[in-house]
């Protein structure tokens, strides 16, 4: 589907990869006591645009509906995702460690114990109403291997 390829390339260049690459640099140079976590909302946009085409998926900012409008979400599963995400972020603000979601423990986004560029593979909690899981290495081919030489971070 050409429009999905164009949307992905635009999103990778303008939003996703600059954010991932900046986060990796920040984590690399931050004090060892600082902890970094990441999540990626995979849930489609039913709360925002119920008639949106499925190829659109989750878009930038759609997580704010889960963070701030939980009671108004359409399904019990979406409300549970909202509750779990709010609990994780609240606990992170309180203690520096997000709470487990659906029994899945968070791991830090960047493994700073190894320090080499090959370990700069951002991990994130993938969030969908049917599946919470930690994902590692997803951004390596797109951001770390392709866009990192084409995006200038200063």
């Amino acid at each position: 589907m050409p429009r999905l390829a164009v949307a992905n390339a635009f999103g990778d260049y303008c939003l996703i990869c600059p954010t991932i690459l900046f986060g990796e640099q920040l984590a690399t140079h931050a004090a060892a006591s600082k902890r970094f976590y990441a999540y990626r909302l995979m849930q489609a946009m039913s709360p925002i645009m119920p008639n949106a085409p499925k190829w659109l998926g989750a878009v930038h900012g759609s997580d704010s509906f889960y963070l701030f409008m939980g009671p108004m979400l359409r399904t019990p599963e979406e409300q549970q995702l909202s509750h779990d995400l709010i609990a994780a972020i609240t606990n992170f603000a309180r203690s520096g460690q997000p709470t487990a979601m659906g029994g899945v423990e968070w791991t830090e986004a960047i493994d700073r114990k190894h320090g080499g560029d090959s370990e700069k593979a951002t991990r994130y909690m993938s969030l969908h109403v049917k599946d919470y899981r930690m994902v590692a290495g997803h951004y390596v081919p797109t951001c770390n291997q392709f866009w990192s030489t084409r995006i200038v971070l200063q």
Side-chain angles (χ1 to χ4, degrees):
M1 181 180 296
R3 66 178 164 211
L4 181 57
V6 169
N8 284 338
F10 179 79
D12 290 346
Y13 178 76
C14 293
L15 273 172
I16 294 172
C17 292
T19 302
I20 295 299
L21 297 170
F22 173 77
E24 289 173 352
Q25 287 297 311
L26 183 64
T28 299
H29 298 292
S33 62
K34 302 296 181 196
R35 299 166 100 186
F36 296 86
Y37 297 92
Y39 68 88
R40 182 175 181 187
L41 182 65
M42 304 302 290
Q43 181 63 31
M45 300 192 20
S46 66
I48 306 166
M49 298 174 8
N51 298 322
K54 290 188 186 227
W55 67 266
L56 196 55
V59 299
H60 179 68
S62 57
D63 58 334
S64 35
F65 283 84
Y66 292 91
L67 290 169
F68 302 113
M69 302 179 77
M72 297 192 298
L73 296 172
R74 306 176 117 196
T75 69
E77 293 85 5
E78 289 172 338
Q79 292 173 354
Q80 185 65 49
L81 172 58
S82 172
H83 177 270
D84 293 345
L85 183 57
I86 290 168
I89 290 175
T90 301
N91 202 59
F92 174 74
R94 191 178 300 133
S95 70
Q97 174 71 40
T99 56
M101 293 182 65
V104 179
E105 295 290 332
W106 293 70
T107 56
E108 287 194 57
I110 305 293
D111 182 2
R112 295 184 287 167
K113 294 176 185 154
H114 295 95
D117 282 346
S118 63
E119 282 81 26
K120 287 185 182 177
T122 299
R123 296 178 291 242
Y124 62 88
M125 177 72 81
S126 175
L127 303 176
H128 187 279
V129 296
K130 296 179 180 168
D131 182 36
Y132 299 156
R133 61 188 165 93
M134 289 302 303
V135 175
H138 175 80
Y139 296 114
V140 170
T142 305
C143 298
N144 300 83
Q145 294 173 350
F146 182 77
W147 285 115
S148 66
T149 61
R150 293 162 175 86
I151 297 173
V152 179
L153 297 174
Q154 296 181 11

